[in-house]
Amino acid sequence: MKLVFLGPPGAGKGTLAVLVSQEYTIPHISTGEIFRTAIREKTPLGLKVQAVIDAGQLVGDDITIQLVKERLTQEDAKNGFILDGFPRTIPQAEALGEIITIDSAINFDINDTLVVERLSGRRVCKTCNKNYHITFMPPKEEGICDKCGSELIVREDDKIEAITKRLEVYRTQTEPLINFYDSKKMLTNIDASAVSGIVFEAFCKLFPKI
Ligand code: AMP
């Protein structure tokens, strides 16, 4: 299954991608995560993109397309993948169409109020990157990762100014992809306002395992 997960930041794409990746044994490819790893490891790519990402803006299409192109040639992506957070612009979607034919673009439908609530409460482990939410998915001990015991932090781009910018960028640059895929009869809408377990159930009904 070759899937694209579309939707605003905070819609739960990453959380669902982890579940779907395990259930269907396909890799979860998150461009945001690839960039964050590069930033943490202070690679040339990381140093180049850090300021743009911290400000809630998009990394350039050329860099991002090249990155995904290389990732999709890896062995584990041969039988399917979930692209989480890519494409985010029409040029990226066109470039993806030249690389590979996807089976469906899943649109995570959710309103702005919920998005802000989810993003501003999100906490992430600074060592293993596991995500939490102070209300919806709290760690057993406040501020500490259940999995590895490290400190939980607020992502720089989950601070309120960056959230506002990311939503604006989503509306202007990414939302047009809904029509792009709809016009190609490749769009599947999913109600992303429920908790992840319910969204996952809805997903499994739409895409039964063969
Ligand atoms: P995410 O974790 O998907 O919310 O991505 C975090 C940040 O990484 C975004 O706000 C962008 O700055 C950058 N990013 C991720 N994916 C893309 C993409 N497809 N195109 C451009 N920038 C991206």
Side-chain angles (χ1 to χ4, degrees):
M1 225 172 8
K2 300 183 174 79
L3 301 173
V4 158
F5 279 9
L6 276 182
K13 302 186 297 296
T15 305
L16 195 73
V18 171
L19 299 173
V20 172
S21 165
Q22 284 164 358
E23 179 74 14
Y24 295 75
T25 330
I26 47 175
H28 167 202
I29 303 174
S30 157
T31 40
E33 204 46 59
I34 295 173
F35 288 137
R36 278 187 292 280
T37 303
I39 291 171
R40 259 196 318 276
E41 292 174 355
K42 297 191 169 46
T43 66
L45 172 69
L47 295 173
K48 205 170 189 171
V49 300
Q50 176 154 27
V52 174
I53 291 185
D54 285 353
Q57 288 168 337
L58 291 186
V59 174
D61 283 338
D62 289 352
I63 294 181
T64 313
I65 290 165
Q66 189 54 33
L67 192 97
V68 171
K69 216 176 193 171
E70 284 167 19
R71 180 63 186 86
L72 290 180
T73 60
Q74 289 176 20
E75 194 54 36
D76 66 340
K78 289 275 180 317
N79 294 325
F81 50 79
I82 305 157
L83 279 173
D84 162 17
F86 181 93
R88 257 178 158 98
T89 64
I90 296 281
Q92 289 181 14
E94 285 169 346
L96 178 64
E98 283 166 22
I99 303 169
I100 210 155
T101 304
I102 60 154
D103 298 308
S104 188
I106 323 291
N107 176 37
F108 285 63
D109 201 11
I110 187 167
N111 67 45
D112 281 4
T113 314
L114 256 180
V115 161
V116 173
E117 193 179 29
R118 285 187 182 179
L119 291 179
S120 55
R122 181 156 69 184
R123 298 292 180 271
V124 56
C125 172
K126 72 179 204 188
T127 304
C128 75
N129 298 318
K130 187 170 161 52
N131 278 331
Y132 296 86
H133 189 281
I134 50 172
T135 314
F136 308 128
M137 211 197 293
K140 290 193 188 98
E141 190 182 340
E142 197 185 321
I144 304 293
C145 179
D146 294 347
K147 201 170 142 196
C148 76
S150 288
E151 187 194 351
L152 302 184
I153 53 167
V154 177
R155 261 166 58 174
E156 205 52 47
D157 62 350
D158 280 344
K159 297 193 172 152
I160 193 70
E161 316 79 63
I163 291 176
T164 310
K165 183 71 202 167
R166 286 163 76 198
L167 276 174
E168 186 190 310
V169 167
Y170 172 75
R171 296 281 169 238
T172 54
Q173 304 203 51
T174 309
E175 206 169 47
L177 295 181
I178 296 175
N179 280 338
F180 177 92
Y181 284 114
D182 197 22
S183 68
K184 294 180 186 298
K185 307 261 176 286
M186 291 165 113
L187 191 77
T188 306
N189 284 301
I190 201 158
D191 177 8
S193 53
V195 294
S196 55
I198 305 274
V199 181
F200 182 53
E201 257 177 43
F203 178 92
C204 293
K205 277 196 188 123
L206 287 165
F207 296 93
K209 223 167 137 181
I210 308 157

